Amino acid sequence: MLPEIGHLALQFALVIALALAILPALGVATSRVLWMSAARPLALGLLVCSTLAFGLLVNAFLSDDFSVAVVSQNGNTLLPVAYKFAATWGNHEGSLLLWILILAGWIWAVANFGRSLPLDMQARVLSVLGVVATGFLLFSLFTSNPFARLLPLPPSEGRDLNPLLQDPGLVMHPPLLYIGYVGFSVAFAFAVAALWSGRLDAAWARWTRPWTNVAWLFLTLGIALGSWWAYYELGWGGWWFWDPVENASFMPWLAGTALIHSLAVTEKRGLFKSWTVLLAIFAFSLSLLGTFLVRSGVLTSVHSFAADPTRGIFILAFLALIVGGSLTLYALRAPRLTGTASYALVSREVLLLVNNVLLVVATLTVLLGTLFPMVVDALGGGKYSVGPPYFNAVFVPLMAVLMVFMGIGPNARWQKTGASLLARRLWPAALASVIIGLAFPVAYGGGYEPGAALAVCFAMWLLLSMLADLRERRWRLNTSYAGMLIAHLGLAVCVVGIGITSNYSAERDVRMAPGDSQALAGYRFEFLGVRHHEGPNFISDQGVLKVYRDDRQIAELYPEKRRYLSQRGQAMTEAAIDAGLFRDLYVALGEPLGDGAWAVRLHYKPFVRWIWLGALLMALGAGVAVCDKRYRRVRQTRTAALAGLGAGAS
């Protein structure tokens, strides 16, 4: 009975989403305040129905209700409670329902915290979001029903959650990622609402910026958590592989980064309005494209959901409708979106525009590398693979150029900056960053690696140029500027981590029997053997290794080879890691080789933690920027808006 109530709640949610899409829009068209005001209670109703449906699906997993198809396929009585909860979104249908719930949450947040918006603008924004919600609810109800039953003879046991997903990182990774993905729908809705109303001004950019920052914050955390999960869970010691599904989340992040900076120019100077609107459409379109890639069945990846082609066709049609409709509106309104402010060739406006162009080009290179193999295959050209060599060769140089301009931009003034002034202010930072970068591999040891030298050089340039700007400001900074500094510092830290771990990592695949020792990067690994270990829903062979540095034991590691007891019966590798701020020692257990010997993979990963520390700092910077008091000011009171609309209606 409860699953049927959940399905009914989804149907009610669809009706409410349709009303949200239509009623406020009609209110705007007819200047009816009551109809526009209905958007807020409708947003609350959508959240209530979505929460009820999601809660009942969670209950089905927690209660092992195997009469529900997704529970039968992804649940198991032996599954720990935390993973039963996470199994709710560890499948196509449940993850789509989570997406709908998060979208409903964003819609409610705009309705509840956007009360300072003029009523007609809020009605437009919520109407656009209602259209988006309607599309996803139709997708869920007609192609991906999470409450489909296996009756009259349900199985007595479930197949279990994919062992790859039975991990604490995957409990939080999808929700964080989806909050970011779906959050860009708000920026998209503001852009479409502004085009609809014909009011693209500084106030519009100010309303949009905090929502975009929050979405970008969560997307950053989601990507970082996914990278961390891949590092320790897959057993190969890598943190990024340019997997198509990894790219599916990275492309909206790049476009969202460009959008954040473009919004700053639009708010401050009233410039780049059409560019900013286009970026908002682009960022959300890439989020929808990522949904298509993950759920259409065109990809084979540990991250993707196996799905039938009809689902892909539905998403593709919805993507065409949303993108095509918004771009058509853009084409009709774009001629009016010209800024009147002037600026010189050397100015902060131009430098931010260059940064934006570089970010968009980088996004397009990732998009090309991701879609090219699929397009060629679809046209009958055979199987092609675009891997790390392409992405590293194209993407990395673009990021290097971007970091150069990132150091210059904050030091430039609005409208006009003297080139000689910038040179005088920044030449000490440039010289010091080159010297430190070139000297770093010598001081670090382990051979001279130009890649590491360049990474440190660019990171130091970003840091020292920020310090030059702070000194020029006499160390005074507002909240928004402080957030920018923290985010840029996070990027510098991340670049250092990437550069050093990519160039100085060491690994060995060895055969080890009890009593054997192997040396790697100044550490000695002693293999003591394998012991039997039992978990809640698996049994494992657990290796025991002691790690020594200068004949002093510094760690004891327990890598595992797990065999799950469910119907899937899959074997999994669980790496053991001795983590530190400046290095990780990483051990993965392979296959038994006879006579007590095992294949063992040893890794030395210097500065790898800096990658995720940098991501956390970037997210923190976005959070600090959102706290800027400008975003809490009421630029136009609701009373005035209602009075104006009432006068128009009369």
Side-chain angles (χ1 to χ4, degrees):
M1 182 64 183
L2 290 179
E4 281 70 32
I5 295 175
H7 190 244
L8 185 62
L10 273 183
Q11 293 173 336
F12 275 120
L14 175 60
V15 173
I16 294 172
L18 279 169
L20 183 62
I22 296 170
L23 196 59
L26 290 176
V28 170
T30 60
S31 298
R32 293 179 184 271
V33 173
L34 184 61
W35 290 8
M36 286 185 281
S37 299
R40 293 193 185 107
L42 286 172
L44 178 59
L46 180 62
L47 179 61
V48 169
C49 289
S50 302
T51 303
L52 176 60
F54 186 78
L56 290 174
L57 186 61
V58 170
N59 177 74
F61 273 94
L62 294 179
S63 61
D64 297 319
D65 185 355
F66 300 125
S67 70
V68 178
V70 292
V71 180
S72 172
Q73 295 160 7
N74 300 276
N76 190 273
T77 54
L78 297 177
L79 198 62
V81 172
Y83 298 144
K84 285 184 179 181
F85 185 74
T88 308
W89 54 79
N91 57 87
H92 166 73
E93 293 84 0
S95 67
L96 184 60
L97 184 54
L98 176 64
W99 180 292
I100 291 168
L101 174 63
I102 291 172
L103 178 58
W106 275 106
I107 293 172
W108 175 83
V110 172
N112 191 57
F113 299 110
R115 293 178 181 272
S116 61
L117 292 171
L119 185 60
D120 65 325
M121 176 58 76
Q122 188 183 51
R124 287 183 170 95
V125 172
L126 292 174
S127 178
V128 175
L129 289 171
V131 172
V132 175
T134 299
F136 279 100
L137 282 161
L138 286 170
F139 183 35
S140 177
L141 285 167
F142 289 100
T143 73
S144 312
N145 179 14
F147 298 103
R149 291 275 207 168
L150 296 175
L151 295 174
L153 297 173
S156 59
E157 184 58 276
R159 291 188 62 206
D160 201 6
L161 179 65
N162 186 336
L164 276 172
L165 306 181
Q166 295 184 36
D167 181 85
L170 263 292
V171 174
M172 290 304 300
H173 166 61
L176 290 174
L177 201 65
Y178 286 4
I179 292 172
Y181 259 157
V182 181
F184 284 126
S185 67
V186 178
F188 168 80
F190 270 100
V192 173
L195 289 171
W196 180 1
S197 67
R199 297 201 304 266
L200 268 161
D201 49 20
W204 164 77
R206 191 177 303 114
W207 296 329
T208 310
R209 279 185 77 182
W211 300 101
T212 307
N213 279 337
V214 172
W216 187 87
L217 182 161
F218 280 102
L219 188 57
T220 302
L221 291 176
I223 292 172
L225 191 56
S227 167
W228 178 60
W229 165 81
Y231 169 69
Y232 71 81
E233 178 66 19
L234 298 183
W236 59 286
W239 52 274
W240 194 262
F241 194 63
W242 294 106
D243 179 278
V245 181
E246 290 176 335
N247 297 345
S249 60
F250 190 45
M251 290 185 289
W253 185 88
L254 289 169
T257 305
L259 175 60
I260 288 172
H261 291 83
S262 191
L263 281 167
V265 181
T266 303
E267 179 191 356
K268 184 73 176 180
R269 300 280 293 131
L271 294 169
F272 308 156
K273 297 175 185 177
S274 57
W275 176 251
T276 304
V277 168
L278 202 56
L279 283 174
I281 296 171
F282 188 42
F284 183 56
S285 300
L286 288 171
S287 295
L288 292 178
L289 178 64
T291 306
F292 167 73
L293 293 177
V294 174
R295 300 172 192 280
S296 62
V298 301
L299 294 180
T300 301
S301 167
V302 297
H303 308 78
S304 62
F305 297 104
D308 61 77
T310 57
R311 292 170 175 171
I313 293 171
F314 187 103
I315 300 175
L316 202 58
F318 183 56
L319 176 64
L321 176 65
I322 292 293
V323 177
S326 57
L327 289 180
T328 300
L329 182 60
Y330 173 82
L332 294 173
R333 299 287 192 179
R336 307 179 188 178
L337 307 181
T338 55
T340 57
S342 61
Y343 53 91
L345 183 61
V346 181
S347 63
R348 186 176 293 186
E349 292 93 329
V350 171
L351 290 168
L352 284 170
L353 181 61
V354 171
N355 280 1
N356 269 313
V357 171
L358 288 169
L359 284 166
V360 170
V361 172
T363 307
L364 293 176
T365 62
V366 178
L367 181 64
L368 176 63
T370 304
L371 295 184
F372 177 77
M374 299 175 227
V375 174
V376 171
D377 188 27
L379 295 176
K383 298 290 185 181
Y384 280 82
S385 176
V386 177
Y390 160 79
F391 291 106
N392 293 336
V394 178
F395 184 82
V396 173
L398 285 170
M399 290 299 99
V401 176
L402 176 68
M403 291 191 71
V404 172
F405 283 98
M406 284 179 65
I408 301 173
N411 284 274
R413 296 172 180 170
W414 295 107
Q415 292 186 276
K416 184 178 181 180
T417 303
S420 58
L421 175 66
L422 281 176
R424 286 196 306 271
R425 185 184 299 179
L426 291 175
W427 77 262
L431 180 61
S433 62
V434 170
I435 293 173
I436 294 172
L438 293 176
F440 174 80
V442 178
Y444 184 78
Y448 198 92
E449 293 289 346
L454 286 172
V456 173
C457 177
F458 284 118
M460 290 305 302
W461 159 249
L462 197 54
L463 176 62
L464 294 176
S465 62
M466 288 191 299
L467 291 176
D469 188 44
L470 273 173
R471 183 182 61 187
E472 187 69 21
R473 292 170 177 263
R474 301 183 185 276
W475 305 96
R476 295 192 296 267
L477 64 166
N478 57 38
T479 307
S480 181
Y481 184 77
M484 182 270 289
L485 289 180
I486 295 170
H488 284 197
L489 173 63
L491 179 61
V493 170
C494 193
V495 167
V496 169
I498 292 171
I500 296 177
T501 197
S502 298
N503 288 278
Y504 287 108
S505 289
E507 67 177 78
R508 292 185 66 186
D509 289 317
V510 296
R511 179 186 187 277
M512 298 187 78
D516 286 350
S517 293
Q518 295 286 344
L520 180 70
Y523 295 88
R524 182 168 62 88
F525 298 80
E526 181 183 353
F527 185 63
L528 303 183
V530 170
R531 63 192 184 189
H532 182 76
H533 176 71
E534 294 187 3
N537 62 335
F538 64 86
I539 58 174
S540 73
D541 294 309
Q542 187 179 74
V544 181
L545 293 96
K546 290 185 177 180
V547 185
Y548 296 88
R549 183 72 184 264
D550 300 325
D551 294 324
R552 179 176 61 88
Q553 183 179 334
I554 60 171
E556 191 163 310
L557 301 177
Y558 305 99
E560 292 183 57
K561 196 71 173 180
R562 292 181 177 178
R563 291 182 298 278
Y564 284 79
L565 304 175
S566 66
Q567 295 179 35
R568 293 181 187 267
Q570 289 179 256
M572 286 293 302
T573 296
E574 290 290 323
I577 303 173
D578 180 47
L581 181 60
F582 298 103
R583 63 97 183 107
D584 275 12
L585 300 177
Y586 181 111
V587 180
L589 198 62
E591 300 298 327
L593 302 177
D595 298 326
W598 285 74
V600 180
R601 175 173 290 179
L602 309 175
H603 289 271
Y604 166 72
K605 295 285 184 181
F607 284 76
V608 69
R609 300 275 153 175
W610 286 44
I611 298 171
W612 304 302
L613 175 61
L616 290 175
L617 286 171
M618 284 189 273
L620 176 62
V624 170
V626 169
C627 297
D628 194 304
K629 61 184 180 181
R630 289 177 299 168
Y631 303 133
R632 297 192 297 272
R633 293 174 186 165
V634 179
R635 296 293 184 181
Q636 180 174 351
T637 65
R638 181 168 178 258
T639 304
L642 289 172
L645 289 165
S650 61

